[in-house]
Amino acid sequence: CAGSEPVARGRRMVEAGSEYCASDFKGPECQLCVAEKHHLVDGDTCEVCAPRGAAAGRIVGLVLGLCVACGLAAWAYSETGWRKKAYIGPILRFADRAVYWYVGVGLTAKLKILFGFYQICTVLSSTYSARLPDKYTDWTEKLANLISIDWSGLFLPEQCLGYNLRLLAIALSPVALI
């Protein structure tokens, strides 16, 4: 008989027409793992979370690597004699032209205006409950997803990092970027 026995379909099970989560999943959309310290991978399997220390090590390594790279770039840029060398000279001369153009056009002020516009555009529908055309909301949603500052999921999945720690990481990420 159809529906007499539960049939597994990914994260959900179907029995007599009513849907509920399979044994390894929970939550309103069956997107949470029942087991502690596990996270959903590829939509249908649960894997063990990596240790938080490993994620912290990756973050520290990334930050230190970026600091070293920026320091080396600033040091190379300050070496005026290197602009005549064949291997690094063209890159430094290009950097000189880019800085000259950036300052000459006044790009800092323009980028601040563009960023303010972006911040307003992405919250129009949620703040004012305004119904906007799909032609408008499609590109603003794609842009919002692209520029989202919630990078905590890159190092640890959401289910592996509690809400309090995710909130702390998201709140402190702009300070860390500065």
Side-chain angles (χ1 to χ4, degrees):
C1 284
S4 61
E5 289 186 23
V7 178
R9 291 189 182 160
R11 295 185 313 250
R12 297 178 186 231
M13 305 243 331
V14 178
E15 180 179 345
S18 65
E19 293 187 42
Y20 59 95
C21 298
S23 62
D24 293 341
F25 306 99
K26 65 179 181 178
E29 294 181 356
C30 301
Q31 293 183 348
L32 301 173
C33 297
V34 172
E36 287 288 323
K37 302 205 184 225
H38 281 70
H39 66 97
L40 191 64
V41 179
D42 297 329
D44 60 352
T45 58
C46 289
E47 287 188 5
V48 178
C49 295
R52 289 183 185 165
R58 283 185 283 202
I59 292 170
V60 168
L62 179 67
V63 168
L64 288 177
L66 285 173
C67 288
V68 167
C70 289
L72 287 174
W75 174 68
Y77 187 74
S78 69
E79 295 290 324
T80 55
W82 286 10
R83 283 163 175 68
K84 295 178 183 171
K85 300 208 183 238
Y87 57 93
I88 198 165
I91 296 169
L92 293 174
R93 290 191 299 271
F94 176 75
D96 286 337
R97 281 187 231 118
V99 168
Y100 179 77
W101 180 81
Y102 182 87
V103 172
V105 172
L107 204 55
T108 301
K110 290 174 176 63
L111 287 174
K112 285 181 181 180
I113 292 169
L114 185 65
F115 188 69
F117 175 75
Y118 157 75
Q119 287 178 322
I120 293 168
C121 287
T122 56
V123 297
L124 273 178
S125 60
S126 63
T127 302
Y128 299 112
S129 298
R131 295 199 177 215
L132 302 170
D134 289 338
K135 188 177 187 180
Y136 173 77
T137 56
D138 287 344
W139 73 268
T140 56
E141 287 174 6
K142 288 178 186 174
L143 186 63
N145 290 337
L146 180 68
I147 303 177
S148 174
I149 298 180
D150 182 12
W151 297 320
S152 62
L154 293 175
F155 300 103
L156 270 179
E158 294 177 14
Q159 293 175 338
C160 297
L161 196 62
Y163 177 76
N164 294 338
L165 290 175
R166 282 192 69 230
L167 180 62
L168 184 65
I170 293 167
L172 293 177
S173 65
V175 175
L177 288 175
I178 293 172

